[in-house]
Amino acid sequence: MQETRQNKIARLLQKELSLIFQEQTRATHGTMVSVTRAKISPDLSVCTAYLSIFPSEKGEEILANVNTNAKSIRYELGTRVRNQLRIIPELRFFIDDSLDYIERIDELLKK
């Protein structure tokens, strides 16, 4: 069960990460990356971010690109939240495939 401080920091990180991805994906037309959920560990050292990628066919490619650039994303995040957080958490990224799952269920129900 997450505490209030963890929830506040997770929301802050989710907001800032989504702004970072929004700025970076403006250069690449036809793709959209959004942060659907962020969780932070109880010691505030690890942030797990779930990314929703459109179109989903490019998901693995974009996730690999994000993971290779994780240090620069963490640095950018650090410059944005340096006044709110003392230690910038390590970032871990995963694909959030819940929308694809919902779409698949709808497709099966229509048959």
Side-chain angles (χ1 to χ4, degrees), residues 80-102:
R80 291 172 177 253
V81 297
R82 67 175 177 252
N83 296 328
Q84 288 99 352
L85 296 177
R86 188 181 321 172
I87 297 171
I88 307 305
E90 175 190 338
L91 299 174
R92 295 184 182 160
F93 298 103
F94 296 98
I95 291 180
D96 184 17
D97 58 355
S98 61
L99 292 176
D100 293 333
Y101 182 71
I102 291 170

Side-chain angles (χ1 to χ4, degrees), residues 17-68:
L17 281 172
S18 65
L19 291 174
I20 290 170
F21 285 125
Q22 186 179 34
E23 289 174 3
Q24 290 182 355
T25 56
R26 263 191 205 130
T28 60
H29 299 288
T31 60
M32 186 173 71
V33 178
S34 59
V35 182
T36 57
R37 188 175 59 201
K39 287 184 179 179
I40 192 141
S41 63
D43 61 351
L44 308 178
S45 65
V46 177
C47 175
T48 305
Y50 293 91
L51 306 177
S52 177
I53 300 171
F54 180 81
S56 59
E57 295 83 34
K58 295 184 178 181
E60 294 296 326
E61 175 188 344
I62 292 175
L63 183 66
N65 189 11
V66 166
N67 282 327
T68 57

Side-chain angles (χ1 to χ4, degrees), residues 104-111:
R104 175 83 174 125
I105 290 174
D106 285 342
E107 188 178 295
L108 290 173
L109 289 174
K110 286 180 183 178
K111 289 184 179 180

Side-chain angles (χ1 to χ4, degrees), residues 6-23:
Q6 284 177 279
N7 289 332
K8 285 182 181 180
I9 292 173
R11 282 194 308 264
L12 172 71
L13 294 176
Q14 179 181 359
K15 178 182 158 224
E16 294 299 331
L17 281 172
S18 65
L19 291 174
I20 290 170
F21 285 125
Q22 186 179 34
E23 289 174 3

